[in-house]
Amino acid sequence: MAQLPILHYPDPRLETVAQPILSVDDEVRRLAADMAETMYEAPGIGLAATQVDVHRQLIVIDVSESRDQLLTFINPKIVAASEEIASYEEGCLSVPGIFDEVERPARVTVEALGLDGKPFTLEADGLLAVCIQHEMDHLRGVVFVEHLSRLKRTRILAKLRKQQRAM
Ligand code: K2U
Ligand code: ZN
């Protein structure tokens, strides 16, 4: 397995819309394993293929305290979302050091393929629901800061540019 480099906002490659995976083969399974290793090392609770500059519909998530409950979603689709909205302070491995409140549906139902190529359906709430929606945003080319106000985004960009100059 290998750790993969993570793209940092505002890299335009993060705006790429991911393509569906047509065949769940060993290459896809190797990519998922590398993404999981990258996520655990970061550390993070989710990672989308877009963030490692692979524009295919694949996300890995582990919201467990024990860090041993890995979920892999291939070609995920949200097929139902609650009217109830929940607010959660989100971060992103592609936007280091930035955290802010984002409002999203509190519960979602997701249909996807597993690493065995078989379809499954998952009902999620809490942090798992937030993470699934956050990662699926990445597959649409959307970073969580796009949900914030223009003023906040401007301030975040200035902070990130200052961070990058200091490196
Ligand atoms: O996309 C990413 O970079 C993964 C995020 C996942 C996330 C989803 C929803 C809410 C917050 C984060 C990273 O894991 S950010 C780092 C992190 C780690 C643990 C808890 C919260 C944030
Ligand atoms: Zn993210």
Side-chain angles (χ1 to χ4, degrees), residues 1-6 27-52 54 58-64 66-74 93 115 131 135:
M1 291 199 291
Q3 285 189 55
L4 305 172
I6 294 175
E27 181 187 348
V28 170
R29 283 183 280 270
R30 169 62 189 268
L31 172 60
D34 289 349
M35 285 173 60
E37 181 181 349
T38 303
M39 175 189 73
Y40 285 121
E41 286 300 313
I45 58 174
L47 191 69
T50 307
Q51 293 177 274
V52 293
V54 174
L58 173 60
I59 59 179
V60 294
I61 290 174
D62 187 346
V63 295
S64 68
S66 51
R67 311 290 283 151
D68 60 0
Q69 306 289 320
L70 180 66
L71 299 172
T72 304
F73 300 82
I74 297 169
L93 296 174
L115 287 176
C131 196
E135 302 312 332

Side-chain angles (χ1 to χ4, degrees), residues 43-46 51 88 90-94 99 130-131 134-135 138:
I45 58 174
Q51 293 177 274
Y88 193 92
E90 298 191 17
C92 183
L93 296 174
S94 294
F99 295 86
V130 175
C131 196
H134 177 111
E135 302 312 332
H138 277 303

Side-chain angles (χ1 to χ4, degrees), residues 64-118:
S64 68
E65 290 288 329
S66 51
R67 311 290 283 151
D68 60 0
Q69 306 289 320
L70 180 66
L71 299 172
T72 304
F73 300 82
I74 297 169
N75 302 338
K77 287 175 182 54
I78 292 177
V79 295
S82 64
E83 287 190 13
E84 181 191 349
I85 299 295
S87 182
Y88 193 92
E89 187 181 59
E90 298 191 17
C92 183
L93 296 174
S94 294
V95 195
I98 303 294
F99 295 86
D100 210 327
E101 295 288 325
V102 177
E103 292 188 341
R104 299 182 188 270
R107 293 177 303 284
V108 291
T109 302
V110 185
E111 290 180 357
L113 299 180
L115 287 176
D116 57 5
K118 294 178 181 168

